[in-house]
Amino acid sequence: IDYYMVALFRHPIDIAYSWWKQGYGERFGNDPRTFTVTIEYNGVSVPWYCIGYEEEWLALNPMERCVRPVTDLIKRAVSQYKNTTDKSRIHLVRFEDFVENTQEELDKICVFLHTKPTKYTPHFIKLANCPRRLNPDDRHGKMLEFKKGISKVYFDMLMQASEFYENSFY
């Protein structure tokens, strides 16, 4: 397939926290508005990405049900990227870079895709509240909430994904 892909990655703590705040730890299988394909496992709906650890997922608390798949999905995405033979067709973008340096990152994306912004681009950039400054203290507060609400195993899993994201952007 002749393709070019822009792959957007966000800090694992921020993704898991967002999922938790949106209730995804309880909504999957119960709320059709989650727009995630589910599978039937022992009579219970489980998100597709939990194939292979369905029993584990069912035993998790709502907060852990956000942490476990987020870290797993990031691992899968990174693995697929690393195994891609032609990385020149994939442009990696950190969410944090795009939000804080919107024009610079948008310019890089346009060069990569051999395109230019449309007349609608400024409108959608404004709707996304970009550019904006992110407060590093916010993530620390989220991390502390996770530390209180999940087991050590899943907290360690989140911290490993966090460290990997911060130190080796794929």
Side-chain angles (χ1 to χ4, degrees):
I1 298 173
D2 188 22
Y3 73 94
Y4 289 93
M5 177 190 302
V6 176
L8 180 70
F9 287 89
R10 189 173 183 190
H11 198 287
I13 290 175
D14 295 333
I15 298 170
Y17 190 82
S18 174
W19 281 28
W20 178 61
K21 283 303 200 182
Q22 292 177 61
Y24 287 149
E26 297 171 304
R27 290 175 57 197
F28 288 123
N30 301 316
D31 182 354
R33 294 175 299 149
T34 58
F35 294 106
T36 296
V37 174
T38 58
I39 59 165
E40 284 294 314
Y41 181 79
N42 292 339
V44 180
S45 292
V46 176
W48 69 267
Y49 44 75
C50 295
I51 293 173
Y53 62 92
E54 300 92 343
E55 287 288 335
E56 177 186 355
W57 192 83
L58 289 170
L60 300 175
N61 72 38
M63 193 178 263
E64 291 168 338
R65 284 185 177 183
C66 296
V67 170
R68 173 63 164 101
V70 162
T71 57
D72 183 56
L73 287 169
I74 290 170
K75 278 183 191 175
R76 290 184 201 189
V78 171
S79 176
Q80 289 175 350
Y81 171 72
K82 288 185 173 187
N83 290 328
T84 299
T85 55
D86 190 359
K87 291 179 184 57
S88 69
R89 294 182 169 274
I90 303 172
H91 179 72
L92 302 181
V93 179
R94 283 183 193 246
F95 172 85
E96 298 81 8
D97 293 340
F98 188 86
V99 166
E100 292 190 327
N101 306 302
T102 306
Q103 192 58 55
E104 179 182 333
E105 293 299 320
L106 187 57
D107 290 345
K108 290 177 188 176
I109 292 168
C110 287
V111 167
F112 173 74
L113 295 175
H114 309 289
T115 189
K116 58 185 178 180
T118 71
K119 66 181 181 179
Y120 305 104
T121 303
H123 170 74
F124 287 102
I125 294 296
K126 186 176 180 177
L127 274 178
N129 191 26
C130 293
R132 66 180 182 269
R133 286 278 152 227
L134 299 174
N135 183 347
D137 293 336
D138 290 346
R139 187 170 300 128
H140 182 72
K142 295 171 188 176
M143 183 209 48
L144 292 176
E145 278 192 64
F146 279 121
K147 191 170 188 175
K148 287 186 234 171
I150 62 178
S151 72
K152 182 176 180 350
V153 169
Y154 295 101
F155 185 74
D156 289 347
M157 190 180 290
L158 183 60
M159 291 301 96
Q160 286 173 353
S162 175
E163 185 178 323
F164 185 61
Y165 181 81
E166 292 169 359
N167 296 326
S168 62
F169 188 62
Y170 323 125

mmCIF file of all heavy atoms in Angstrom, residues 23-67:
data_model
loop_
_atom_site.group_PDB
_atom_site.id
_atom_site.type_symbol
_atom_site.label_atom_id
_atom_site.label_comp_id
_atom_site.label_asym_id
_atom_site.label_seq_id
_atom_site.Cartn_x
_atom_site.Cartn_y
_atom_site.Cartn_z
ATOM 1 N N GLY A 23 -14.598 7.624 32.325
ATOM 2 C CA GLY A 23 -15.325 6.453 32.789
ATOM 3 C C GLY A 23 -15.103 5.199 31.974
ATOM 4 O O GLY A 23 -15.869 4.236 32.076
ATOM 5 N N TYR A 24 -14.039 5.167 31.169
ATOM 6 C CA TYR A 24 -13.824 4.004 30.308
ATOM 7 C C TYR A 24 -13.548 2.719 31.077
ATOM 8 O O TYR A 24 -13.741 1.639 30.546
ATOM 9 C CB TYR A 24 -12.709 4.277 29.299
ATOM 10 C CG TYR A 24 -13.130 5.233 28.207
ATOM 11 C CD1 TYR A 24 -12.214 6.080 27.623
ATOM 12 C CD2 TYR A 24 -14.439 5.293 27.760
ATOM 13 C CE1 TYR A 24 -12.588 6.966 26.620
ATOM 14 C CE2 TYR A 24 -14.823 6.169 26.763
ATOM 15 C CZ TYR A 24 -13.891 7.004 26.195
ATOM 16 O OH TYR A 24 -14.271 7.871 25.212
ATOM 17 N N GLY A 25 -13.122 2.814 32.296
ATOM 18 C CA GLY A 25 -12.901 1.613 33.091
ATOM 19 C C GLY A 25 -14.184 0.874 33.420
ATOM 20 O O GLY A 25 -14.168 -0.294 33.785
ATOM 21 N N GLU A 26 -15.324 1.554 33.274
ATOM 22 C CA GLU A 26 -16.620 0.943 33.551
ATOM 23 C C GLU A 26 -17.552 0.937 32.339
ATOM 24 O O GLU A 26 -18.480 0.139 32.289
ATOM 25 C CB GLU A 26 -17.312 1.685 34.700
ATOM 26 C CG GLU A 26 -16.540 1.599 35.994
ATOM 27 C CD GLU A 26 -17.101 2.496 37.076
ATOM 28 O OE1 GLU A 26 -17.217 3.718 36.845
ATOM 29 O OE2 GLU A 26 -17.421 1.954 38.141
ATOM 30 N N ARG A 27 -17.305 1.812 31.385
ATOM 31 C CA ARG A 27 -18.238 1.992 30.274
ATOM 32 C C ARG A 27 -18.134 0.929 29.182
ATOM 33 O O ARG A 27 -19.129 0.638 28.524
ATOM 34 C CB ARG A 27 -18.035 3.370 29.638
ATOM 35 C CG ARG A 27 -18.497 4.492 30.541
ATOM 36 C CD ARG A 27 -18.194 5.857 29.975
ATOM 37 N NE ARG A 27 -18.795 6.028 28.663
ATOM 38 C CZ ARG A 27 -18.428 6.982 27.815
ATOM 39 N NH1 ARG A 27 -17.464 7.826 28.138
ATOM 40 N NH2 ARG A 27 -19.006 7.094 26.651
ATOM 41 N N PHE A 28 -16.940 0.371 28.967
ATOM 42 C CA PHE A 28 -16.784 -0.602 27.883
ATOM 43 C C PHE A 28 -17.705 -1.789 28.109
ATOM 44 O O PHE A 28 -17.730 -2.381 29.175
ATOM 45 C CB PHE A 28 -15.335 -1.069 27.757
ATOM 46 C CG PHE A 28 -14.433 -0.019 27.196
ATOM 47 C CD1 PHE A 28 -13.330 0.401 27.902
ATOM 48 C CD2 PHE A 28 -14.692 0.563 25.968
ATOM 49 C CE1 PHE A 28 -12.484 1.369 27.400
ATOM 50 C CE2 PHE A 28 -13.848 1.533 25.449
ATOM 51 C CZ PHE A 28 -12.750 1.943 26.169
ATOM 52 N N GLY A 29 -18.452 -2.107 27.087
ATOM 53 C CA GLY A 29 -19.392 -3.216 27.165
ATOM 54 C C GLY A 29 -20.745 -2.820 27.722
ATOM 55 O O GLY A 29 -21.716 -3.548 27.581
ATOM 56 N N ASN A 30 -20.811 -1.651 28.354
ATOM 57 C CA ASN A 30 -22.066 -1.173 28.937
ATOM 58 C C ASN A 30 -22.628 0.048 28.216
ATOM 59 O O ASN A 30 -23.808 0.328 28.330
ATOM 60 C CB ASN A 30 -21.861 -0.811 30.419
ATOM 61 C CG ASN A 30 -21.381 -1.980 31.231
ATOM 62 O OD1 ASN A 30 -21.888 -3.081 31.094
ATOM 63 N ND2 ASN A 30 -20.388 -1.749 32.069
ATOM 64 N N ASP A 31 -21.786 0.767 27.527
ATOM 65 C CA ASP A 31 -22.186 2.017 26.891
ATOM 66 C C ASP A 31 -21.789 1.991 25.415
ATOM 67 O O ASP A 31 -20.610 2.062 25.093
ATOM 68 C CB ASP A 31 -21.501 3.186 27.605
ATOM 69 C CG ASP A 31 -21.894 4.551 27.053
ATOM 70 O OD1 ASP A 31 -22.615 4.616 26.033
ATOM 71 O OD2 ASP A 31 -21.464 5.560 27.645
ATOM 72 N N PRO A 32 -22.772 1.909 24.509
ATOM 73 C CA PRO A 32 -22.441 1.836 23.080
ATOM 74 C C PRO A 32 -21.770 3.106 22.553
ATOM 75 O O PRO A 32 -21.176 3.091 21.483
ATOM 76 C CB PRO A 32 -23.797 1.604 22.411
ATOM 77 C CG PRO A 32 -24.812 2.059 23.393
ATOM 78 C CD PRO A 32 -24.205 1.868 24.751
ATOM 79 N N ARG A 33 -21.812 4.181 23.311
ATOM 80 C CA ARG A 33 -21.184 5.421 22.862
ATOM 81 C C ARG A 33 -19.671 5.420 23.016
ATOM 82 O O ARG A 33 -19.008 6.377 22.642
ATOM 83 C CB ARG A 33 -21.777 6.619 23.610
ATOM 84 C CG ARG A 33 -23.244 6.833 23.272
ATOM 85 C CD ARG A 33 -23.861 7.928 24.087
ATOM 86 N NE ARG A 33 -23.783 7.556 25.504
ATOM 87 C CZ ARG A 33 -23.670 8.436 26.487
ATOM 88 N NH1 ARG A 33 -23.652 9.710 26.248
ATOM 89 N NH2 ARG A 33 -23.600 8.026 27.739
ATOM 90 N N THR A 34 -19.111 4.346 23.537
ATOM 91 C CA THR A 34 -17.647 4.275 23.652
ATOM 92 C C THR A 34 -16.988 4.015 22.308
ATOM 93 O O THR A 34 -15.799 4.211 22.164
ATOM 94 C CB THR A 34 -17.202 3.181 24.653
ATOM 95 O OG1 THR A 34 -17.715 1.930 24.226
ATOM 96 C CG2 THR A 34 -17.626 3.518 26.056
ATOM 97 N N PHE A 35 -17.751 3.577 21.322
ATOM 98 C CA PHE A 35 -17.258 3.359 19.964
ATOM 99 C C PHE A 35 -16.016 2.483 19.912
ATOM 100 O O PHE A 35 -15.085 2.736 19.179
ATOM 101 C CB PHE A 35 -16.973 4.691 19.250
ATOM 102 C CG PHE A 35 -18.203 5.495 19.012
ATOM 103 C CD1 PHE A 35 -18.467 6.628 19.767
ATOM 104 C CD2 PHE A 35 -19.109 5.129 18.037
ATOM 105 C CE1 PHE A 35 -19.606 7.374 19.550
ATOM 106 C CE2 PHE A 35 -20.253 5.866 17.818
ATOM 107 C CZ PHE A 35 -20.506 6.992 18.578
ATOM 108 N N THR A 36 -15.998 1.455 20.717
ATOM 109 C CA THR A 36 -14.906 0.497 20.693
ATOM 110 C C THR A 36 -15.497 -0.879 20.445
ATOM 111 O O THR A 36 -16.476 -1.266 21.089
ATOM 112 C CB THR A 36 -14.142 0.499 22.035
ATOM 113 O OG1 THR A 36 -13.542 1.782 22.195
ATOM 114 C CG2 THR A 36 -13.062 -0.558 22.075
ATOM 115 N N VAL A 37 -14.917 -1.594 19.521
ATOM 116 C CA VAL A 37 -15.373 -2.949 19.240
ATOM 117 C C VAL A 37 -15.138 -3.799 20.478
ATOM 118 O O VAL A 37 -14.077 -3.731 21.102
ATOM 119 C CB VAL A 37 -14.611 -3.535 18.030
ATOM 120 C CG1 VAL A 37 -14.973 -5.004 17.821
ATOM 121 C CG2 VAL A 37 -14.894 -2.719 16.787
ATOM 122 N N THR A 38 -16.142 -4.574 20.835
ATOM 123 C CA THR A 38 -16.004 -5.478 21.972
ATOM 124 C C THR A 38 -16.156 -6.923 21.499
ATOM 125 O O THR A 38 -16.693 -7.182 20.426
ATOM 126 C CB THR A 38 -17.053 -5.184 23.069
ATOM 127 O OG1 THR A 38 -18.362 -5.290 22.505
ATOM 128 C CG2 THR A 38 -16.851 -3.804 23.668
ATOM 129 N N ILE A 39 -15.659 -7.821 22.326
ATOM 130 C CA ILE A 39 -15.821 -9.250 22.075
ATOM 131 C C ILE A 39 -16.591 -9.836 23.250
ATOM 132 O O ILE A 39 -16.580 -9.271 24.351
ATOM 133 C CB ILE A 39 -14.453 -9.957 21.919
ATOM 134 C CG1 ILE A 39 -13.602 -9.759 23.193
ATOM 135 C CG2 ILE A 39 -13.718 -9.460 20.691
ATOM 136 C CD1 ILE A 39 -12.420 -10.689 23.294
ATOM 137 N N GLU A 40 -17.245 -10.935 23.010
ATOM 138 C CA GLU A 40 -17.917 -11.649 24.088
ATOM 139 C C GLU A 40 -16.923 -12.625 24.713
ATOM 140 O O GLU A 40 -16.302 -13.412 24.007
ATOM 141 C CB GLU A 40 -19.125 -12.414 23.562
ATOM 142 C CG GLU A 40 -20.327 -11.548 23.272
ATOM 143 C CD GLU A 40 -20.940 -10.902 24.513
ATOM 144 O OE1 GLU A 40 -21.130 -11.585 25.539
ATOM 145 O OE2 GLU A 40 -21.200 -9.687 24.449
ATOM 146 N N TYR A 41 -16.769 -12.533 26.005
ATOM 147 C CA TYR A 41 -15.898 -13.452 26.732
ATOM 148 C C TYR A 41 -16.661 -13.947 27.953
ATOM 149 O O TYR A 41 -16.959 -13.151 28.861
ATOM 150 C CB TYR A 41 -14.591 -12.761 27.138
ATOM 151 C CG TYR A 41 -13.658 -13.678 27.874
ATOM 152 C CD1 TYR A 41 -12.883 -14.606 27.189
ATOM 153 C CD2 TYR A 41 -13.591 -13.657 29.261
ATOM 154 C CE1 TYR A 41 -12.046 -15.473 27.865
ATOM 155 C CE2 TYR A 41 -12.759 -14.515 29.940
ATOM 156 C CZ TYR A 41 -11.992 -15.422 29.240
ATOM 157 O OH TYR A 41 -11.164 -16.299 29.912
ATOM 158 N N ASN A 42 -16.997 -15.202 27.974
ATOM 159 C CA ASN A 42 -17.784 -15.788 29.071
ATOM 160 C C ASN A 42 -19.040 -14.969 29.377
ATOM 161 O O ASN A 42 -19.362 -14.717 30.538
ATOM 162 C CB ASN A 42 -16.930 -15.949 30.332
ATOM 163 C CG ASN A 42 -15.858 -16.996 30.169
ATOM 164 O OD1 ASN A 42 -15.949 -17.872 29.304
ATOM 165 N ND2 ASN A 42 -14.831 -16.920 30.993
ATOM 166 N N GLY A 43 -19.704 -14.518 28.316
ATOM 167 C CA GLY A 43 -20.955 -13.784 28.480
ATOM 168 C C GLY A 43 -20.803 -12.316 28.832
ATOM 169 O O GLY A 43 -21.781 -11.639 29.121
ATOM 170 N N VAL A 44 -19.575 -11.818 28.828
ATOM 171 C CA VAL A 44 -19.313 -10.416 29.174
ATOM 172 C C VAL A 44 -18.638 -9.740 27.987
ATOM 173 O O VAL A 44 -17.780 -10.330 27.326
ATOM 174 C CB VAL A 44 -18.394 -10.325 30.422
ATOM 175 C CG1 VAL A 44 -18.118 -8.881 30.792
ATOM 176 C CG2 VAL A 44 -18.995 -11.075 31.601
ATOM 177 N N SER A 45 -19.006 -8.493 27.719
ATOM 178 C CA SER A 45 -18.355 -7.726 26.654
ATOM 179 C C SER A 45 -17.036 -7.170 27.159
ATOM 180 O O SER A 45 -16.984 -6.547 28.229
ATOM 181 C CB SER A 45 -19.238 -6.565 26.198
ATOM 182 O OG SER A 45 -20.378 -7.061 25.543
ATOM 183 N N VAL A 46 -15.998 -7.403 26.385
ATOM 184 C CA VAL A 46 -14.648 -6.963 26.730
ATOM 185 C C VAL A 46 -14.086 -6.208 25.522
ATOM 186 O O VAL A 46 -14.300 -6.636 24.386
ATOM 187 C CB VAL A 46 -13.752 -8.184 27.054
ATOM 188 C CG1 VAL A 46 -12.326 -7.788 27.318
ATOM 189 C CG2 VAL A 46 -14.320 -8.953 28.244
ATOM 190 N N PRO A 47 -13.381 -5.087 25.717
ATOM 191 C CA PRO A 47 -12.794 -4.375 24.570
ATOM 192 C C PRO A 47 -11.878 -5.286 23.757
ATOM 193 O O PRO A 47 -11.164 -6.125 24.316
ATOM 194 C CB PRO A 47 -11.996 -3.243 25.216
ATOM 195 C CG PRO A 47 -12.581 -3.084 26.576
ATOM 196 C CD PRO A 47 -13.060 -4.444 26.983
ATOM 197 N N TRP A 48 -11.877 -5.096 22.449
ATOM 198 C CA TRP A 48 -11.102 -5.944 21.529
ATOM 199 C C TRP A 48 -9.640 -6.050 21.912
ATOM 200 O O TRP A 48 -9.010 -7.083 21.736
ATOM 201 C CB TRP A 48 -11.214 -5.429 20.088
ATOM 202 C CG TRP A 48 -10.512 -4.118 19.884
ATOM 203 C CD1 TRP A 48 -11.056 -2.870 19.982
ATOM 204 C CD2 TRP A 48 -9.135 -3.919 19.567
ATOM 205 N NE1 TRP A 48 -10.104 -1.906 19.764
ATOM 206 C CE2 TRP A 48 -8.908 -2.525 19.500
ATOM 207 C CE3 TRP A 48 -8.058 -4.774 19.334
ATOM 208 C CZ2 TRP A 48 -7.666 -1.971 19.207
ATOM 209 C CZ3 TRP A 48 -6.815 -4.215 19.042
ATOM 210 C CH2 TRP A 48 -6.634 -2.833 18.981
ATOM 211 N N TYR A 49 -9.076 -4.970 22.420
ATOM 212 C CA TYR A 49 -7.637 -4.954 22.673
ATOM 213 C C TYR A 49 -7.248 -5.735 23.921
ATOM 214 O O TYR A 49 -6.071 -5.871 24.222
ATOM 215 C CB TYR A 49 -7.091 -3.525 22.757
ATOM 216 C CG TYR A 49 -7.942 -2.586 23.570
ATOM 217 C CD1 TYR A 49 -7.959 -2.641 24.944
ATOM 218 C CD2 TYR A 49 -8.749 -1.644 22.939
ATOM 219 C CE1 TYR A 49 -8.746 -1.796 25.689
ATOM 220 C CE2 TYR A 49 -9.543 -0.786 23.674
ATOM 221 C CZ TYR A 49 -9.530 -0.874 25.046
ATOM 222 O OH TYR A 49 -10.325 -0.031 25.774
ATOM 223 N N CYS A 50 -8.234 -6.274 24.623
ATOM 224 C CA CYS A 50 -7.938 -7.101 25.794
ATOM 225 C C CYS A 50 -7.851 -8.582 25.448
ATOM 226 O O CYS A 50 -7.709 -9.418 26.347
ATOM 227 C CB CYS A 50 -8.997 -6.872 26.873
ATOM 228 S SG CYS A 50 -8.970 -5.193 27.530
ATOM 229 N N ILE A 51 -7.932 -8.898 24.153
ATOM 230 C CA ILE A 51 -7.790 -10.293 23.740
ATOM 231 C C ILE A 51 -6.419 -10.789 24.217
ATOM 232 O O ILE A 51 -5.393 -10.163 23.952
ATOM 233 C CB ILE A 51 -7.924 -10.438 22.207
ATOM 234 C CG1 ILE A 51 -9.353 -10.103 21.776
ATOM 235 C CG2 ILE A 51 -7.518 -11.838 21.753
ATOM 236 C CD1 ILE A 51 -9.553 -10.056 20.265
ATOM 237 N N GLY A 52 -6.458 -11.896 24.915
ATOM 238 C CA GLY A 52 -5.222 -12.451 25.456
ATOM 239 C C GLY A 52 -5.081 -12.214 26.947
ATOM 240 O O GLY A 52 -4.319 -12.898 27.625
ATOM 241 N N TYR A 53 -5.807 -11.227 27.463
ATOM 242 C CA TYR A 53 -5.801 -11.024 28.918
ATOM 243 C C TYR A 53 -7.199 -10.654 29.424
ATOM 244 O O TYR A 53 -7.376 -9.848 30.326
ATOM 245 C CB TYR A 53 -4.728 -10.007 29.353
ATOM 246 C CG TYR A 53 -4.856 -8.587 28.829
ATOM 247 C CD1 TYR A 53 -5.551 -7.623 29.551
ATOM 248 C CD2 TYR A 53 -4.244 -8.200 27.655
ATOM 249 C CE1 TYR A 53 -5.643 -6.315 29.094
ATOM 250 C CE2 TYR A 53 -4.330 -6.892 27.191
ATOM 251 C CZ TYR A 53 -5.035 -5.955 27.919
ATOM 252 O OH TYR A 53 -5.116 -4.665 27.469
ATOM 253 N N GLU A 54 -8.188 -11.340 28.877
ATOM 254 C CA GLU A 54 -9.588 -11.077 29.238
ATOM 255 C C GLU A 54 -9.862 -11.289 30.727
ATOM 256 O O GLU A 54 -10.501 -10.434 31.369
ATOM 257 C CB GLU A 54 -10.543 -11.975 28.421
ATOM 258 C CG GLU A 54 -10.445 -11.798 26.933
ATOM 259 C CD GLU A 54 -9.467 -12.756 26.260
ATOM 260 O OE1 GLU A 54 -8.614 -13.348 26.956
ATOM 261 O OE2 GLU A 54 -9.556 -12.909 25.035
ATOM 262 N N GLU A 55 -9.419 -12.420 31.268
ATOM 263 C CA GLU A 55 -9.644 -12.717 32.697
ATOM 264 C C GLU A 55 -9.011 -11.643 33.581
ATOM 265 O O GLU A 55 -9.602 -11.190 34.558
ATOM 266 C CB GLU A 55 -9.080 -14.095 33.069
ATOM 267 C CG GLU A 55 -9.874 -15.254 32.547
ATOM 268 C CD GLU A 55 -11.212 -15.448 33.252
ATOM 269 O OE1 GLU A 55 -11.363 -15.036 34.415
ATOM 270 O OE2 GLU A 55 -12.123 -16.020 32.607
ATOM 271 N N GLU A 56 -7.804 -11.266 33.223
ATOM 272 C CA GLU A 56 -7.107 -10.219 33.985
ATOM 273 C C GLU A 56 -7.914 -8.929 33.949
ATOM 274 O O GLU A 56 -8.145 -8.297 34.980
ATOM 275 C CB GLU A 56 -5.712 -9.997 33.387
ATOM 276 C CG GLU A 56 -4.925 -8.889 34.050
ATOM 277 C CD GLU A 56 -3.607 -8.589 33.349
ATOM 278 O OE1 GLU A 56 -3.244 -9.304 32.382
ATOM 279 O OE2 GLU A 56 -2.943 -7.628 33.772
ATOM 280 N N TRP A 57 -8.355 -8.537 32.752
ATOM 281 C CA TRP A 57 -9.105 -7.286 32.596
ATOM 282 C C TRP A 57 -10.379 -7.294 33.428
ATOM 283 O O TRP A 57 -10.714 -6.307 34.074
ATOM 284 C CB TRP A 57 -9.421 -7.034 31.118
ATOM 285 C CG TRP A 57 -9.934 -5.663 30.852
ATOM 286 C CD1 TRP A 57 -9.187 -4.534 30.675
ATOM 287 C CD2 TRP A 57 -11.296 -5.251 30.754
ATOM 288 N NE1 TRP A 57 -10.008 -3.446 30.465
ATOM 289 C CE2 TRP A 57 -11.307 -3.870 30.509
ATOM 290 C CE3 TRP A 57 -12.507 -5.918 30.846
ATOM 291 C CZ2 TRP A 57 -12.472 -3.140 30.354
ATOM 292 C CZ3 TRP A 57 -13.681 -5.201 30.691
ATOM 293 C CH2 TRP A 57 -13.652 -3.824 30.449
ATOM 294 N N LEU A 58 -11.080 -8.423 33.428
ATOM 295 C CA LEU A 58 -12.330 -8.513 34.184
ATOM 296 C C LEU A 58 -12.101 -8.373 35.687
ATOM 297 O O LEU A 58 -12.982 -7.911 36.407
ATOM 298 C CB LEU A 58 -13.033 -9.836 33.875
ATOM 299 C CG LEU A 58 -13.631 -9.941 32.475
ATOM 300 C CD1 LEU A 58 -14.087 -11.361 32.192
ATOM 301 C CD2 LEU A 58 -14.770 -8.945 32.284
ATOM 302 N N ALA A 59 -10.922 -8.754 36.168
ATOM 303 C CA ALA A 59 -10.622 -8.699 37.598
ATOM 304 C C ALA A 59 -10.113 -7.323 38.052
ATOM 305 O O ALA A 59 -9.981 -7.084 39.249
ATOM 306 C CB ALA A 59 -9.587 -9.770 37.948
ATOM 307 N N LEU A 60 -9.851 -6.418 37.122
ATOM 308 C CA LEU A 60 -9.268 -5.122 37.468
ATOM 309 C C LEU A 60 -10.318 -4.141 37.972
ATOM 310 O O LEU A 60 -11.491 -4.220 37.608
ATOM 311 C CB LEU A 60 -8.577 -4.514 36.243
ATOM 312 C CG LEU A 60 -7.434 -5.327 35.634
ATOM 313 C CD1 LEU A 60 -6.936 -4.650 34.360
ATOM 314 C CD2 LEU A 60 -6.314 -5.519 36.632
ATOM 315 N N ASN A 61 -9.864 -3.172 38.778
ATOM 316 C CA ASN A 61 -10.758 -2.089 39.167
ATOM 317 C C ASN A 61 -10.830 -1.090 38.001
ATOM 318 O O ASN A 61 -10.024 -1.168 37.060
ATOM 319 C CB ASN A 61 -10.322 -1.456 40.499
ATOM 320 C CG ASN A 61 -9.058 -0.611 40.406
ATOM 321 O OD1 ASN A 61 -8.810 0.102 39.429
ATOM 322 N ND2 ASN A 61 -8.237 -0.679 41.442
ATOM 323 N N PRO A 62 -11.783 -0.158 38.001
ATOM 324 C CA PRO A 62 -11.941 0.756 36.861
ATOM 325 C C PRO A 62 -10.685 1.548 36.494
ATOM 326 O O PRO A 62 -10.404 1.749 35.314
ATOM 327 C CB PRO A 62 -13.070 1.692 37.315
ATOM 328 C CG PRO A 62 -13.873 0.863 38.254
ATOM 329 C CD PRO A 62 -12.860 0.014 38.983
ATOM 330 N N MET A 63 -9.925 1.954 37.469
ATOM 331 C CA MET A 63 -8.713 2.714 37.180
ATOM 332 C C MET A 63 -7.664 1.816 36.516
ATOM 333 O O MET A 63 -7.011 2.222 35.551
ATOM 334 C CB MET A 63 -8.173 3.344 38.469
ATOM 335 C CG MET A 63 -7.113 4.399 38.252
ATOM 336 S SD MET A 63 -6.562 5.129 39.822
ATOM 337 C CE MET A 63 -7.561 6.604 39.857
ATOM 338 N N GLU A 64 -7.527 0.597 37.015
ATOM 339 C CA GLU A 64 -6.586 -0.350 36.425
ATOM 340 C C GLU A 64 -7.009 -0.743 35.016
ATOM 341 O O GLU A 64 -6.173 -1.009 34.160
ATOM 342 C CB GLU A 64 -6.477 -1.601 37.299
ATOM 343 C CG GLU A 64 -5.792 -1.344 38.630
ATOM 344 C CD GLU A 64 -5.940 -2.484 39.626
ATOM 345 O OE1 GLU A 64 -6.887 -3.297 39.487
ATOM 346 O OE2 GLU A 64 -5.109 -2.555 40.551
ATOM 347 N N ARG A 65 -8.331 -0.744 34.762
ATOM 348 C CA ARG A 65 -8.840 -1.060 33.429
ATOM 349 C C ARG A 65 -8.487 0.023 32.414
ATOM 350 O O ARG A 65 -8.665 -0.172 31.214
ATOM 351 C CB ARG A 65 -10.355 -1.248 33.457
ATOM 352 C CG ARG A 65 -10.779 -2.560 34.040
ATOM 353 C CD ARG A 65 -12.266 -2.716 33.926
ATOM 354 N NE ARG A 65 -12.689 -4.018 34.426
ATOM 355 C CZ ARG A 65 -13.932 -4.449 34.385
ATOM 356 N NH1 ARG A 65 -14.882 -3.681 33.856
ATOM 357 N NH2 ARG A 65 -14.235 -5.630 34.867
ATOM 358 N N CYS A 66 -8.027 1.130 32.886
ATOM 359 C CA CYS A 66 -7.528 2.180 31.992
ATOM 360 C C CYS A 66 -6.018 2.052 31.823
ATOM 361 O O CYS A 66 -5.500 2.173 30.713
ATOM 362 C CB CYS A 66 -7.907 3.563 32.528
ATOM 363 S SG CYS A 66 -9.690 3.829 32.579
ATOM 364 N N VAL A 67 -5.327 1.809 32.898
ATOM 365 C CA VAL A 67 -3.864 1.718 32.863
ATOM 366 C C VAL A 67 -3.396 0.524 32.043
ATOM 367 O O VAL A 67 -2.518 0.656 31.180
ATOM 368 C CB VAL A 67 -3.281 1.653 34.297
ATOM 369 C CG1 VAL A 67 -1.800 1.303 34.272
ATOM 370 C CG2 VAL A 67 -3.513 2.967 35.017
#
